[in-house]
């Protein structure tokens, strides 16, 4: 007996996901675009559900913000992992590549490291001492600091803790400065300034001189 042809499987639609999954994905997208103060009603609407369902799974929304923070941290760790894989046993090059990555202007405002800094600013509450969600970010920044200190030390650079703190001061300043100065932000010289600091602490070679664009 001849069999009927199998029905072609349609691609999975958004509505085949559970409401919980849709809420997580929608919150992640809106938090990236609008910040973590995106209204719960907007998240629920865009996820094709309602605020009662959101409250059922995520209460007032803190677990959604926590999931978002963990996602940003995971993206940051993925970057460091790729550096270690591409430049194994070469901590100096990892540092230089990190500075180049932090200085890249393309799409910078949507990068995980910048979104993490923005989220920390949004979470700051002077009436509360280190709220748990902010603590997650601060704890990760301590991990980042230990990593940079470790790379400076492994590269044999002088005063690795002092150098790491100088580099992190440049990097975190650049993360928070983006978008504040228009066409030619100060962070455009991040890689050059950071490399000069490394050379001053004993790194090999000297940075190539870069012509600063005319601000007029």
């Amino acid at each position: 007996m001849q069999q009927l042809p199998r029905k072609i499987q349609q691609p999975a639609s958004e509505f085949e996901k559970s409401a919980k999954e849709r809420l997580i994905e929608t919150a992640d997208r809106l938090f990236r675009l609008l910040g973590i103060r995106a209204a719960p009603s907007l998240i629920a609407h865009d996820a094709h559900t309602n605020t009662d369902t959101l409250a059922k799974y995520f209460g007032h929304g803190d677990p959604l913000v926590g999931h978002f923070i963990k996602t940003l941290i995971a993206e940051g760790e993925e970057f460091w992992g790729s550096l270690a894989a591409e430049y194994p046993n070469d901590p100096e090059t990892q540092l230089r590549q990190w500075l180049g990555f932090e200085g890249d202007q393309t799409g910078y405002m949507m990068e995980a490291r910048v979104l993490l800094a923005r989220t920390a600013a949004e979470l700051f509450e002077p009436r509360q001492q280190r709220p748990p969600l902010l603590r997650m970010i601060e704890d990760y920044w301590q991990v980042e600091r230990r990593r940079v200190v470790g790379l400076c030390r492994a590269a044999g650079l002088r005063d690795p803790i002092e150098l790491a703190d100088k580099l992190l001061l440049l990097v975190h300043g650049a993360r928070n400065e983006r978008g504040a100065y228009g066409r030619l932000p100060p962070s455009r010289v991040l890689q050059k300034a950071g490399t000069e600091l490394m050379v001053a602490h004993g790194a090999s070679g000297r940075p190539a001189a870069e012509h600063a664009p005319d601000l007029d």
Side-chain angles (χ1 to χ4, degrees), residues 95-117:
L95 287 168
R96 291 175 184 267
Q97 291 295 320
W98 169 57
L99 291 171
F101 178 68
E102 293 284 355
D104 185 11
Q105 306 281 322
T106 307
Y108 196 90
M109 297 299 285
M110 287 293 105
E111 290 285 353
R113 60 208 191 275
V114 176
L115 293 173
L116 204 59

Side-chain angles (χ1 to χ4, degrees), residues 122-141:
E122 290 179 304
L123 284 169
F124 178 72
E125 173 53 69
R127 294 169 295 181
Q128 225 178 330
Q129 227 175 358
R130 293 195 78 207
L133 291 173
L134 180 58
R135 191 179 304 124
M136 287 174 59
I137 300 175
E138 292 176 341
D139 288 348
Y140 177 65
W141 283 339

Side-chain angles (χ1 to χ4, degrees), residues 25-91:
E25 292 180 3
T26 301
D28 182 278
R29 175 172 55 82
L30 291 177
F31 288 162
R32 289 172 189 267
L33 292 172
L34 305 176
I36 59 169
R37 301 196 188 281
S41 57
L42 177 61
I43 295 171
H45 178 271
D46 277 25
H48 306 289
T49 184
N50 54 61
T51 53
D52 289 340
T53 302
L54 189 151
K56 171 186 172 183
Y57 289 117
F58 304 107
H60 294 296
D62 278 4
L64 280 175
V65 177
H67 185 278
F68 177 58
I69 291 171
K70 289 177 183 177
T71 298
L72 296 179
I73 289 173
E75 289 176 21
E77 286 300 287
E78 184 179 355
F79 165 75
W80 284 108
S82 67
L83 268 189
E86 190 168 356
Y87 305 100
N89 304 314
D90 191 351

Side-chain angles (χ1 to χ4, degrees), residues 163 189 208:
L163 173 58
V189 298

